[in-house]
């Protein structure tokens, strides 16, 4: 039941209907043009619709899907301008793209991870139809390059004078070129890779512009791992390192300003793509993975299989229509069986027509890939055919068995349709039969709803604590409520958020309930930030919104300020009358500009006597 969170599903939900309708119009325009190639306005409409879809997809930051739509628009334009030789093949691949894109978006809307790599075959087929060469997988690899660089990638505090920077870059470029050429030739591989890495590190030290510095730091890290023989360089990786020389030349010719106008992000992503797929943890490889969160960008084999399975043209609108038609046919067959049982003078051969209906249902189920349901319907079709032909008795038991099997198919049809394109559970993982998709989703939603409700109660306890002029009795239920929320999140197989809730519970018990502390204003603001972050996280979980890791990052940062992250060990709040050692650190972190003794004020009411040491 683990939820995926690589996309703002709420935003996609807002535009999904519009995208589906626009793609539908593009499909109709393409069909009209294929029927009448003289009506060029239809192909122009098709290209316009695809352009609108591309803009919307970029707005919601679905860049892989946007790239596919861009290629579809280019192919439509090439068809319009008579620039495509194999027009029939081009029509086919363009129609395939228009049909499959809604499937991919529907999968994302249901909460699955965005895996643009599965779009690459379609993307390259669209390019091939125009005579363009295919793209590499790294093109669809999109790490977050806005993340801050670590201390090891820091440059000068102020930009160097441009003339000095250009001279230094030109000198370093010469060293890079010589070492690169010798490495390509296989001369003194270790020594030349060492010099290439040193050149990149030196460029990091003299470059103030972050886009350039990021590239040189990543390149230095990769080359350093190559020198240590952490992995073998592929031809593509050699080419990527060779392109770094062009960026050094650009720095030497145009200075740092050129990188502000045209940052080398594609080359940086390409190098990070190789890092993400390399098994090594040597040197700075681990740091690169952590800084850019590369491990989270690599889908598992099951996720890739699921994503590929969803690219079948079985989108929800089509499947709902087909399922509804199947249910109507099954209902008619059941009604005919019921009428036969109620009529005493009915003849078995009258049921022959129902065998034909079940034949049609069976074929339809096979077309949409529901093999199990198809087999059940075929068995009942054979049973009805034998009853109608007199080969089997038309008694009540036989007909009720047929009706019961059809009822099962009808009742499970929605769940089976929902699972189209999914990954079958691994055999032997568990003896328990998995819940149907619809039932599993209901359980998940109920758990999230309960967790959100309990958290709201805990938050109200804190509000009452403030409004009652620091009545600590208002907080008595908070530990229990937070424990219940954490338990619900653990059911969903979430790791970090339950620990943040534990930290809040530990702070509440130790500082507010045991010690009867009254937080100062800045400390209460910090606690409020933690609660707001966790509340927003639960709402994002409920609404299938993306970026949930970034949301709870705020909670962790503010808990650090409170002195409760990492979580302190569960020791008594007062031992032998001595104050907890964390109290001073809480005061210092919460209000570093104020005197430490003023950070947490004692309440006006007398506090309980400290627990005496045994």
């Amino acid at each position: 039941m683990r939820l995926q969170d690589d996309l703002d599903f709420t935003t996609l939900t807002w535009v999904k209907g519009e995208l589906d309708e626009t793609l539908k119009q593009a499909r109709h325009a393409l069909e009209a043009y294929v029927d009448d190639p003289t009506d060029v306005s239809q192909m122009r409409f098709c290209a316009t619709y695809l352009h609108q879809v591309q803009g919307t997809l970029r707005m919601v930051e679905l860049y892989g899907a946007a790239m596919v739509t861009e290629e579809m628009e280019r192919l439509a334009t090439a068809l319009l301008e008579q620039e495509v030789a194999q027009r029939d093949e081009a029509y086919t691949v363009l129609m395939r793209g228009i049909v499959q894109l809604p499937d991919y978006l529907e999968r994302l809307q249901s909460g699955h991870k965005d895996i643009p790599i599965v779009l690459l075959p379609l993307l390259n087929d669209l390019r091939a139809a125009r005579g363009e060469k295919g793209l590499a997988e790294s093109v669809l690899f999109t790490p977050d390059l806005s993340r801050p660089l670590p201390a090891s990638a820091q440059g000068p505090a102020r930009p160097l004078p441009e003339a000095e920077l250009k001279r230094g870059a030109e000198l370093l470029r010469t060293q890079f070129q010589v070492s690169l050429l010798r490495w390509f030739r296989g001369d003194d591989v270790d020594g030349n890779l060492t010099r290439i890495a040193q050149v990149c590190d030196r460029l990091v030290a003299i470059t103030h512009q972050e886009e350039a510095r990021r590239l040189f730091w990543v390149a230095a890290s990769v080359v350093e791992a190559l020198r240590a023989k952490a992995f073998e360089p592929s031809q593509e990786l050699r080419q990527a390192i060779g392109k770094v020389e062009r960026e050094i030349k650009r720095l030497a010719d145009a200075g740092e300003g050129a990188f502000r106008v045209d940052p080398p992000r594609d080359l940086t992503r390409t190098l990070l793509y190789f890092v993400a797929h390399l098994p090594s943890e040597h040197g700075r490889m681990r740091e690169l993975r952590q800084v850019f969160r590369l491990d989270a960008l690599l889908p598992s084999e099951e996720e890739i299989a699921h994503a590929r399975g969803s690219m079948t043209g079985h989108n929800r609108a089509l499947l709902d229509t087909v399922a509804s038609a199947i249910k109507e046919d099954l209902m008619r067959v059941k009604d005919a069986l019921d009428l036969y049982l109620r009529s005493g003078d009915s003849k078995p051969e009258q049921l022959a027509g129902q065998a034909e209906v079940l034949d049609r249902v069976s074929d339809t189920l096979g077309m949409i890939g529901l093999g199990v349901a198809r087999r059940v319907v075929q068995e009942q079709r054979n049973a009805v055919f034998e009853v109608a032909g007199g080969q089997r008795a038309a008694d009540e038991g036989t007909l009720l068995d047929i009706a019961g099997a059809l009822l099962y198919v009808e009742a499970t049809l929605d769940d089976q349709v929902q699972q189209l394109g999914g990954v079958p559970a691994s055999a032997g993982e568990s003896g328990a039969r998995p819940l149907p998709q619809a039932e599993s989703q209901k359980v998940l939603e109920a758990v999230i709803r309960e967790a959100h409700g309990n958290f709201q109660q805990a938050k109200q306890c804190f509000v009452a604590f403030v409004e009652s002029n620091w009545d600590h009795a208002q907080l008595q239920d908070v530990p229990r409520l937070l424990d219940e929320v954490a338990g619900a999140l653990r059911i969903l197989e979430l790791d970090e958020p339950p620990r943040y809730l534990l930290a809040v519970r530990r702070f509440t018990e130790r500082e507010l309930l045991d010690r009867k502390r009254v937080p100062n204003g800045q400390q209460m603001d910090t606690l409020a930030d933690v609660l707001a972050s966790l509340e927003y996280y639960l709402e994002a979980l409920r609404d299938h919104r993306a970026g949930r890791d970034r949301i709870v990052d705020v909670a962790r940062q503010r808990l650090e300020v409170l002195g409760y992250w990492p979580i302190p060990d569960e020791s008594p709040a007062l031992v032998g009358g001595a104050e907890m050692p964390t109290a001073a650190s809480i005061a210092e972190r919460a209000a570093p500009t104020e005197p430490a003794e003023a950070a947490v004020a004692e309440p006006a009411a007398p506090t309980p006597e400290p627990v005496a040491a045994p």
Side-chain angles (χ1 to χ4, degrees):
M1 266 197 278
R2 180 178 295 277
L3 299 176
Q4 307 299 335
D5 51 10
D6 293 358
L7 173 69
D8 189 336
F9 302 111
T10 302
T11 305
L12 178 60
T13 299
W14 291 341
V15 300
K16 180 64 164 55
E18 178 186 345
L19 288 171
D20 287 345
E21 181 60 30
T22 307
L23 286 169
K24 180 180 178 181
Q25 292 175 342
R27 176 167 58 85
H28 290 163
L30 176 59
E31 291 170 348
Y33 179 76
V34 172
D35 289 341
D36 182 10
T38 62
D39 188 0
V40 295
S41 63
Q42 294 296 334
M43 184 56 75
R44 191 174 294 112
F45 289 149
C46 181
T48 301
Y49 293 137
L50 292 172
H51 184 76
Q52 293 173 5
V53 171
Q54 179 198 158
T56 304
L57 290 172
R58 291 193 182 280
M59 181 185 70
V60 298
E61 301 182 2
L62 287 174
Y63 297 115
M67 287 180 64
V68 170
T69 313
E70 182 180 5
E71 290 298 335
M72 290 161 62
E73 180 188 354
R74 288 177 178 175
L75 181 55
T77 302
L79 285 166
L80 183 63
E81 297 175 355
Q82 306 294 319
E83 296 177 351
V84 178
Q86 303 293 330
R87 298 183 68 85
D88 288 342
E89 293 181 7
Y91 294 148
T92 299
V93 70
L94 183 56
M95 180 61 74
R96 177 156 60 92
I98 293 175
V99 170
Q100 287 185 347
L101 191 58
D103 296 354
Y104 187 77
L105 299 178
E106 186 174 280
R107 177 181 174 277
L108 298 182
Q109 189 182 18
S110 66
H112 293 286
K113 181 181 291 186
D114 183 16
I115 307 178
I117 192 65
V118 301
L119 298 171
L120 187 62
L122 174 59
L123 184 67
N124 284 336
D125 286 347
L126 290 164
R127 292 177 61 85
R130 293 190 298 113
E132 297 287 338
K133 65 178 183 179
L135 299 175
E137 289 185 4
S138 57
V139 173
L140 295 173
F141 185 69
T142 55
D144 184 4
L145 299 184
S146 65
R147 294 184 60 79
L149 295 175
S152 59
Q154 294 306 307
R158 297 185 183 85
L160 297 180
E162 188 164 326
E164 179 183 346
L165 175 66
K166 288 182 177 180
R167 284 195 303 270
E170 184 59 41
L171 178 62
L172 291 170
R173 179 194 171 213
T174 301
Q175 297 175 15
F176 190 96
Q177 280 181 318
V178 172
S179 299
L180 183 69
L181 182 60
R182 290 175 177 171
W183 175 50
F184 283 169
R185 290 174 176 172
D187 299 339
D188 188 15
V189 171
D190 290 350
N192 284 300
L193 284 174
T194 298
R195 284 185 283 275
I196 291 173
Q198 290 172 345
V199 167
C200 292
D201 280 331
R202 181 58 186 156
L203 287 165
V204 171
I206 67 173
T207 307
H208 183 266
Q209 210 283 328
E210 188 171 10
E211 296 281 2
R213 193 157 29 89
R214 180 186 297 109
L215 169 65
F216 298 139
W217 179 65
V218 171
S221 304
V222 173
V223 174
E224 181 187 79
L226 279 172
R227 182 198 58 77
K229 296 180 175 55
F231 50 85
E232 291 296 325
S234 63
Q235 184 61 32
E236 293 80 5
L237 180 56
R238 289 173 180 268
Q239 292 174 354
I241 294 174
K243 291 178 182 178
V244 175
E245 185 271 336
R246 302 179 194 173
E247 300 303 323
I248 304 175
K249 182 179 186 300
R250 194 153 66 101
L251 182 64
D253 292 344
E256 292 187 342
F259 291 84
R260 296 189 187 92
V261 176
D262 184 19
R265 293 178 182 173
D266 287 343
L267 181 53
T268 304
R269 290 191 185 101
T270 299
L271 290 171
L272 289 175
Y273 173 82
F274 290 108
V275 173
H277 286 79
L278 293 173
S280 174
E281 294 288 339
H282 177 82
R284 285 180 273 185
M285 292 293 99
R286 181 187 297 274
E287 189 175 23
L288 280 175
R289 287 193 173 93
Q290 291 174 345
V291 168
F292 297 104
R293 294 183 174 178
L294 299 184
D295 291 339
L297 296 176
L298 293 181
S300 66
E301 291 298 325
E302 285 192 351
E303 288 172 330
I304 293 176
H306 185 282
R308 285 174 176 160
S310 69
M311 301 285 289
T312 59
H314 295 153
N315 59 68
R316 180 57 49 204
L318 170 63
L319 291 175
D320 285 345
T321 301
V322 172
S324 178
I326 290 174
K327 288 179 181 178
E328 289 180 6
D329 283 341
L330 293 176
M331 181 64 72
R332 281 196 290 269
V333 174
K334 289 188 300 177
D335 287 345
L337 295 175
D338 181 64
L339 183 61
Y340 178 87
L341 286 174
R342 293 175 182 273
S343 302
D345 56 349
S346 296
K347 298 181 180 180
E349 55 265 25
Q350 295 175 350
L351 297 176
Q354 307 310 316
E356 296 177 3
V357 174
L358 292 178
D359 247 345
R360 182 171 66 245
V361 170
S362 171
D363 291 341
T364 305
L365 290 170
M367 288 172 57
I368 63 174
L370 296 180
V372 175
R374 178 173 182 264
R375 185 169 63 252
V376 173
V377 171
Q378 283 179 329
E379 291 172 354
Q380 307 319 309
R381 177 263 177 200
N382 293 336
V384 171
F385 186 79
E386 291 173 0
V387 168
Q391 301 168 0
R392 181 181 296 192
D395 55 31
E396 182 177 359
T398 299
L399 297 183
L400 287 179
D401 286 344
I402 296 172
L406 297 180
L407 182 62
Y408 167 79
V409 172
E410 182 182 357
T412 61
L413 186 60
D414 288 336
D415 286 330
Q416 295 182 57
V417 166
Q418 182 75 23
Q419 293 169 8
L420 279 175
V423 182
S426 301
E429 284 185 359
S430 172
R433 181 178 178 180
L435 286 174
Q437 180 76 15
E439 186 175 346
S440 175
Q441 184 67 22
K442 290 177 182 178
V443 172
L444 184 144
E445 290 174 355
V447 170
I448 296 175
R449 186 167 57 250
E450 185 70 18
H452 186 265
N454 286 341
F455 189 84
Q456 289 295 316
Q457 293 181 44
K459 190 180 76 168
Q460 287 304 315
C461 291
F462 282 106
V463 172
F465 172 60
V466 176
E467 293 179 347
S468 64
N469 195 22
W470 318 114
D471 179 8
H472 293 80
Q474 301 291 339
L475 301 174
Q476 290 297 329
D477 290 335
V478 169
R480 174 184 59 80
L481 292 167
L482 294 181
D483 269 346
E484 291 175 0
V485 176
L489 296 183
R490 281 190 288 269
I491 290 174
L492 302 179
E493 300 180 18
L494 299 169
D495 299 325
E496 288 298 308
R499 299 181 64 213
Y500 300 150
L501 288 161
L502 173 60
V504 177
R505 192 204 77 183
R506 192 73 56 81
F507 172 83
T508 304
E509 289 177 331
R510 181 175 294 181
E511 300 299 328
L512 303 181
L513 291 174
D514 291 344
R515 307 194 69 180
K516 302 296 183 184
R517 293 287 190 175
V518 174
N520 70 357
Q522 190 165 357
Q523 193 174 0
M524 275 306 301
D525 287 344
T526 305
L527 178 60
D529 288 343
V530 176
L531 296 175
S533 173
L534 292 171
E535 180 181 20
Y536 187 37
Y537 174 83
L538 290 170
E539 292 174 352
L541 192 66
R542 179 194 62 196
D543 299 335
H544 300 279
R545 296 201 298 267
R548 296 192 286 271
D549 283 345
R550 294 190 294 273
I551 294 171
V552 289
D553 280 349
V554 176
R556 184 187 67 252
Q557 293 163 8
R558 305 310 286 163
L559 284 168
E560 288 173 356
V561 174
L562 280 176
Y564 272 77
W565 191 264
I567 305 173
D569 58 3
E570 196 167 5
S571 56
L574 297 174
V575 179
E579 292 191 352
M580 282 179 50
T582 56
S585 63
I586 293 171
E588 182 179 353
R589 296 188 187 194
T593 59
E594 299 177 9
E597 60 270 20
V600 180
E602 293 291 348
T607 58
E609 290 293 325
V611 178

